[in-house]
Amino acid sequence: MYAAAKAVLKPRRISEYVTAGEVSAAVLSKSGKIYTGVCIDTCSTLGICAERNAIFNMITNGENEIDKLLCIPPFEGKGAPCGACRELMVQLMPESYKDIKIMLDYSKGKVITLGEITPEWWIDY
Ligand SMILES: [Zn+2]
């Protein structure tokens, strides 16, 4: 997964208003396939996080379930998915989202579950 995410990690300016590839992510689906995505940053919040881009890539290819998520942030070290990415994963897998494994720190091999960082979902109430 790291190699797949690293392969698309290519920071670049696309236009005066758009940059991409400063963060990359890889999703391992339940079927065992890897889908990648990069962040796309724009004016007026039209962009997308690398994690959601990878998840949308998985959905585009007909899959709906995430087993693992890995993200390569712009700086070395750990990085957790933002609230919007967490919310998407919860809504995608409301019965089992807590089991999604997230590589929090690749250099240390630290893996957590989405349930650990998103223990109480607002729709559970
Ligand atoms: Zn995000």
Side-chain angles (χ1 to χ4, degrees):
M1 289 178 69
Y2 184 86
K6 190 76 175 175
V8 295
L9 185 69
K10 296 172 183 168
R12 59 199 180 274
R13 174 164 292 283
I14 294 172
S15 78
E16 184 178 350
Y17 308 103
V18 179
T19 60
E22 293 171 324
V23 178
S24 66
V27 167
L28 179 67
S29 71
K30 287 287 186 184
S31 77
K33 291 184 181 172
I34 294 173
Y35 299 95
T36 58
V38 297
C39 69
I40 300 171
D41 293 303
T42 73
C43 291
S44 309
T45 68
L46 297 173
I48 189 78
C49 295
E51 295 95 322
R52 270 179 290 150
N53 204 355
I55 293 167
F56 292 153
N57 185 9
M58 177 190 75
I59 293 171
T60 299
N61 284 279
E63 296 207 58
N64 307 319
E65 289 189 89
I66 303 162
D67 184 27
K68 297 178 182 172
L69 172 71
L70 175 147
C71 171
I72 303 179
F75 307 105
E76 294 300 320
K78 66 178 185 178
C82 78
C85 291
R86 294 181 201 188
E87 179 68 19
L88 174 66
M89 289 188 279
V90 172
Q91 292 193 23
L92 194 61
M93 299 170 55
E95 307 300 325
S96 57
Y97 75 89
K98 290 184 177 177
D99 298 330
I100 294 173
K101 292 173 274 302
I102 296 170
M103 178 62 77
L104 195 66
D105 189 336
Y106 182 78
S107 65
K108 294 178 180 169
K110 185 175 182 183
V111 177
I112 57 171
T113 65
L114 185 56
E116 289 176 274
I117 58 172
T118 312
E120 305 290 338
W121 185 39
W122 61 279
I123 283 182
D124 281 344
Y125 295 97

